[in-house]
Amino acid sequence: MVMNLRHTPWMIRILWIALFAVWFGALDQRPLIRPDEGRYAEIPREMVASGDWLTPRLNDLKYFEKPALQYWATAVGFKLFDEDEWTARLWPALTGFLGVLLAGYTGRRLWGRTAGHLSAAILASTLLYGVMGHVLTLDMGLTFFLQLAWTGFIFAQQPDARAGRRWMLTAWAALALAVLSKGLVALVLTGGTLVAYSLLNRDLSPWRRLSPLAGLGLFLAIAAPWFVAVSLANPEFPRFFFIHEHFERFLTTVHRRNQPDWYFLFIYAVGALPWTLLLLHGLFGAWRREGGAAFQPQRFLLLWIAVTFGFFSISSSKLPPYILPIFPALALLGGRHLAGLSRRALLLHLAALLPLALAAIWLAPQAVKWQDEDYSLAMLQGVAHWLTGAAGALLLGLVGAIALAWKKRTIAALTALATAGFISGTATLLAHGELSPYNSAKALAAQAAPRLRPDVPFYSLLHYEQTLPFYLERTLTLVQYQDEMAFGLKQEPQKWIPTLEEFKQRWRTGPHAYAVMTVDEFKKFVAEGLPMQEIARSLRYVIAENVRPAHGGDGGDCAATPAAPPCNGARIQP
């Protein structure tokens, strides 16, 4: 059954406008949370403040775990707009929204208008994709450029050689940007999928359309300059980035992100809601040959999903967003499949979601029972409020979708499900924002800001709260703590204090200074007699100053102690 949308174009336009408004309007509704959001906001902030856009730095220390494309994009945003949550999250939101548009365009071009509409609707409303479009990590940028790369590759297989070459060069350029987004994994996934397709489909024709000379030249022109320049400026970069961050991350548990082999099956089951079963159903027929064309887009997309899912499943480092690149392909195959879904099949799938929605309605208020020393009752009441709203939106959407499907209004039913899924996912994200008093240092920084001077040393004891430097607009001197900054500290060991004893000596005898520490550590230091006066406090941390600063406490004596580390907040202030 082929359905058309000619009778409802106005509704589609309204839904696109609403999607755009909510997608970008929700970016600043939550403080940045630790660790990723603080980290990936602070690195570009330091680029803007220092003027060094070549060498990424976190807390004024060299940080080479990822390439620089997203840092540049966010830094440009900071230059054009404000240094706030909306701008910090703009790049993942923008690339995520472009991915939805691209899915709609690709589905429409391959399989018709209805398939395109459904592909876009599925992708926008899939839980994991929608959430990651509003969380500051590098995964959405990588996902979009990989999507653009394989879209260009698919369209390059068309009979028109000139148009095919343009699309192939688009694919090479997108692949270069994917590498600049998150590294060599982009080459592994695309290369693995092409090889798997050629072998399993017994079709070598795509290799003849790769435009290898022009394509590789374009790829290197885009991707290589930064890698060369940063390596020349920092000879230690190649070994750390290419060996430690790629091979050791994949083959070992050095990053302590090891999970069982079935881990991503669970992530898919939850992350693909409300389409989990429908998308799986759509995969079953994806290997079926279409028409008489040599190249089979459905088979290629199916193999992209399999290779990506398999690669990250066998990796020794696993995090939920790693499989995000499979969702645009899943949405396309789902759009193709749902465009011809029978009423009976649709009703069965919708009915299967009802128990889940009802269970969510019952479980959401139970969030208040999580109350402990970290999560207050007020925080959890806010969480319960949003989760109840999310479950209610899903339930109402399901009921509406079932009623529409019963009347054989399949497109309207699927659109209702997509709308409910998007609203539910957005509400779930806002529910997590209610935990910000525990997960973010925004309130702590705002409380302390009136008491802080930028030319006074600021120490971070035994911990590093990732969001604090961004909200304070300054870096901190680490004390007896390294973690992910161990590599940077090895290159510039003068920028930290290795032991608490050394810190205590400087705190007692040195100039006016601040320090951030956990609440328990603050109590312990005060009990030991270390002179500390509280400036600000959150659920987790206390910011204090030494109450008997040397040299009269005038913040200008920062460099009075020659052995002390620099007042690193001052050097990179905007």
Side-chain angles (χ1 to χ4, degrees), residues 12 51 108 147 219 279 295 318 327 419 512 528:
I12 300 302
R108 178 171 181 168
Q147 179 188 359
F219 174 88
L279 294 182
F295 184 76
K318 297 182 178 71
F327 284 95
T419 303
H512 185 201
E528 291 175 1

Side-chain angles (χ1 to χ4, degrees), residues 550-566:
H551 314 292
D554 120 10
D557 289 329
C558 181
T561 306

Side-chain angles (χ1 to χ4, degrees), residues 81-122:
F81 309 111
D82 291 329
E83 291 182 358
D84 56 18
E85 294 95 346
W86 191 89
T87 311
R89 294 184 177 119
L90 181 57
W91 185 248
L94 180 61
T95 51
F97 194 80
L98 289 175
V100 173
L101 293 175
L102 183 59
Y105 172 78
T106 306
R108 178 171 181 168
R109 180 163 174 165
L110 289 176
W111 300 302
R113 187 177 183 182
T114 300
H117 160 71
L118 292 176
S119 297
I122 291 169

Side-chain angles (χ1 to χ4, degrees), residues 229-456:
V230 75
S231 298
L232 291 175
N234 306 274
E236 65 274 17
F237 171 84
R239 196 272 168 198
F240 181 85
F241 180 82
F242 293 108
I243 304 301
H244 178 76
E245 280 302 303
H246 285 80
F247 294 100
E248 290 181 2
R249 178 188 289 267
F250 182 81
L251 296 172
T252 73
T253 59
V254 63
H255 288 276
R256 301 185 298 277
R257 297 171 182 169
N258 50 310
Q259 300 289 349
D261 293 341
W262 49 263
Y263 176 72
F264 286 120
L265 292 174
F266 171 77
I267 298 301
Y268 167 79
V270 176
L273 289 171
W275 307 99
T276 304
L277 296 177
L278 284 168
L279 294 182
L280 282 179
H281 190 234
L283 293 181
F284 293 141
W287 195 254
R288 186 181 303 115
R289 175 171 287 276
E290 295 183 273
F295 184 76
Q296 299 291 303
Q298 285 198 91
R299 291 186 177 186
F300 184 83
L301 292 172
L302 180 62
L303 289 171
W304 170 263
I305 294 166
V307 168
T308 303
F309 194 91
F311 175 82
F312 287 115
S313 292
I314 64 175
S315 170
S316 298
S317 180
K318 297 182 178 71
L319 286 176
Y322 286 1
I323 61 165
L324 193 64
I326 73 172
F327 284 95
L330 280 167
L332 276 171
L333 292 178
R336 172 72 175 88
H337 171 67
L338 295 184
L341 195 66
S342 69
R343 184 180 73 159
R344 179 176 179 273
L346 178 57
L347 285 170
L348 286 174
H349 281 94
L350 293 174
L353 283 173
L354 277 176
L356 177 65
L358 292 170
I361 288 281
W362 179 77
L363 287 172
Q366 311 303 314
V368 295
K369 296 181 179 179
W370 303 341
Q371 182 181 0
D372 56 21
E373 60 182 9
D374 296 328
Y375 301 139
S376 68
L377 179 61
M379 292 161 59
L380 294 176
Q381 286 174 335
V383 171
H385 168 79
W386 283 109
L387 289 181
T388 301
L394 181 60
L395 182 60
L396 288 175
L398 274 173
V399 172
I402 290 172
L404 290 166
W406 186 262
K407 296 178 180 179
K408 299 184 179 180
R409 298 179 60 188
T410 306
I411 288 293
L414 293 169
T415 303
L417 180 61
T419 303
F422 177 71
I423 294 173
S424 179
T426 302
T428 300
L429 192 62
L430 293 173
H432 188 266
E434 295 290 329
L435 302 178
S436 62
Y438 178 76
N439 293 328
S440 176
K442 181 177 182 178
L444 178 68
Q447 185 185 156
R451 297 280 298 275
L452 302 180
R453 295 183 56 172
D455 54 351
V456 174

Side-chain angles (χ1 to χ4, degrees), residues 459 461 479 497 499-513 525 528 530-532 546 548-550 561 563-565:
Y459 301 102
L461 310 184
V479 176
I497 299 178
T499 67
L500 271 178
E501 292 307 313
E502 183 179 350
F503 159 76
K504 291 176 182 178
Q505 177 66 21
R506 294 183 182 182
W507 185 259
R508 288 190 175 100
T509 63
H512 185 201
F525 291 139
E528 291 175 1
L530 200 64
M532 285 188 167
N546 48 357
R548 296 178 59 190
T561 306

Side-chain angles (χ1 to χ4, degrees), residues 123 125-132 270-275 421 424-426 428:
L123 190 58
S125 58
T126 297
L127 178 61
L128 184 62
Y129 190 89
V131 166
M132 296 312 300
V270 176
L273 289 171
W275 307 99
S424 179
T426 302
T428 300

